[in-house]
Amino acid sequence: MRLTSVRLGYVPLIDAAPLIVAAELGFAAEEGLEFSLLRLGAWAQARDMLGAGLIEAAHMLAPMPVAQAMGLGPALPDLDLVMFLSQGGQAVAVSAALAARMRDLGHDFDFRDARKAGEALRRAAPERLRVGVPFHFSTQLELMQHWLGICGFDAAPEVVTVPPPLMAESMAAGEVDAFCVGEPWASSAVDRGVAALLLPGTAVWASPPEKGLVLRRDFIAAEPEMTGALMRAIWRAGRWLDERENRDTAAEILSRREYLDLPAELAERGLTGRLQVTPSGEIRHVPGFVAFHAGAATFPWKSLAALFAQRIARRYGLQPDAAMRRAMAHFRTDLYRQHLRAAGAALPGASARLEGALTEDREVGAEKGQMILRADAFFDGTVFEPPFAD
């Protein structure tokens, strides 16, 4: 069978695993596709290459198509998020010097309690905390701003954008005091001795949506069969990844030179949630640190588009209701249902929900029978009710 070539851009992170595994283990070929994977250096590059038609699909930070829909980016064709690729997988780190001050003040780096960690950071931090995030429109920035605000930081942090592979270099150079980034780059900073891990992203928000599969809307309209095949291949790869016995194999694949180009042990930390939090070797285990499939992890809830849009709009002085309406149209639950129903995906009965309402995994009604939704609570009990929801 002759395969159809599809170009996909990704930034080297653990959460690019569904694209890489789909290519390496034959899920793409089973759908009649041959993935041409392009490793990119920064998130703006992924957005711009997709907009220019140089790639057909991109591994992209979930808030990026929201910001594009709001007009906060270059003039590009409409970009749609058709499914999530992952939830979680981020870690918050502080510089070695700041970690030492926190320990002197009694913090034990338990890696669980977001409020305790935030208050300890506030006591030890400089007057204006410099925070590294991978992009201005990122789940990492949303996590940090929500967490620091709730924990009593009077001044908004100084935000420094740094490509994920360069986060350790930025901290070593003294450019940031803390950062939030996806694995393996937080662990890489620990191994270099320049940082200590303070929290997993899941301690702030139990299921933070991290990356999405993003396509141009005109491509979706012109190539519906290819769109469906692409989504099914990646969905099946995510299902394979969430079988715990497959994570060691996944770490070996991801660590290869052509992908993340790092030791398999470093890739394994992010995949298993067994993280070394200090250069001295302290280990913390985080169940459910990253999910690629389980608990409806890939469903592109329109309520998440609205949540990101509301927060971005307030930050940029835009009208939130109009921003939320526009953003929700770019999270394509219709395509998810259309293309993944036959593959056996569990499909929620609605396309929006209360975000942050589940303190534990819960069985809910689905299009057919029941399905499990992952806990998604914020550490402070925040709940977001989307407007205009179906």
Side-chain angles (χ1 to χ4, degrees), residues 329-383:
H330 290 262
F331 275 37
R332 298 297 299 276
T333 55
D334 58 326
L335 294 173
Y336 190 96
R337 296 180 192 280
Q338 175 187 342
H339 293 303
L340 294 181
R341 184 179 285 114
L347 299 173
S351 293
R353 63 176 182 174
L354 290 175
E355 296 295 340
L358 299 182
T359 57
E360 57 186 18
D361 293 356
R362 183 177 300 175
E363 187 174 60
V364 299
E367 275 193 6
K368 294 183 179 180
Q370 303 289 308
M371 65 184 296
I372 300 293
L373 297 183
R374 293 184 80 211
D376 73 335
F378 290 90
F379 80 101
D380 61 315
T382 291
V383 175

Side-chain angles (χ1 to χ4, degrees), residues 147-171:
W147 171 56
L148 295 175
I150 293 297
C151 290
F153 279 73
D154 294 329
E158 178 185 344
V159 175
V160 182
T161 58
V162 184
L166 301 180
M167 203 65 80
E169 283 82 352
S170 182
M171 184 162 276

Side-chain angles (χ1 to χ4, degrees), residues 10 12 39 252-262:
Y10 74 96
R39 187 167 69 179
E252 186 279 321
I253 293 170
L254 292 173
S255 67
R256 295 174 187 171
R257 177 176 294 181
E258 61 267 35
Y259 298 129
L260 272 61
D261 191 19
L262 46 74

Side-chain angles (χ1 to χ4, degrees), residues 18-30:
L19 280 66
I20 295 167
V21 164
E24 287 284 342
L25 297 188
F27 296 109
E30 289 174 7

Side-chain angles (χ1 to χ4, degrees), residues 40-59:
L40 307 177
W43 292 112
Q45 186 182 12
R47 177 199 61 200
D48 295 347
M49 289 185 69
L50 181 62
L54 300 175
I55 53 178
E56 280 75 52
H59 159 246

Side-chain angles (χ1 to χ4, degrees), residues 305-323:
L307 184 155
F308 286 133
Q310 184 192 72
R311 294 186 177 195
I312 293 170
R314 288 174 175 170
R315 205 152 56 236
Y316 284 82
L318 303 176
Q319 210 285 325
D321 282 1

Side-chain angles (χ1 to χ4, degrees), residues 52-98:
L54 300 175
I55 53 178
E56 280 75 52
H59 159 246
M60 191 177 290
L61 292 159
M64 288 181 69
V66 171
Q68 276 297 118
M70 296 167 60
L72 297 172
L76 297 175
D78 286 338
L79 305 182
D80 286 343
L81 187 148
V82 298
M83 61 188 291
F84 285 118
L85 297 171
S86 61
Q87 292 181 349
Q90 321 92 341
V92 177
V94 295
S95 69
L98 189 48

Side-chain angles (χ1 to χ4, degrees), residues 8 18-20 22 27-28 31 35 57 83-85 213 228-241 292-293 298 340:
L8 298 94
L19 280 66
I20 295 167
F27 296 109
E31 292 290 343
F35 283 5
M83 61 188 291
F84 285 118
L85 297 171
L213 179 66
L230 177 62
M231 292 175 66
R232 288 189 296 271
I234 291 173
W235 180 82
R236 290 187 170 113
R239 182 174 60 181
W240 181 89
L241 280 161
F292 300 101
H293 176 83
T298 56
L340 294 181

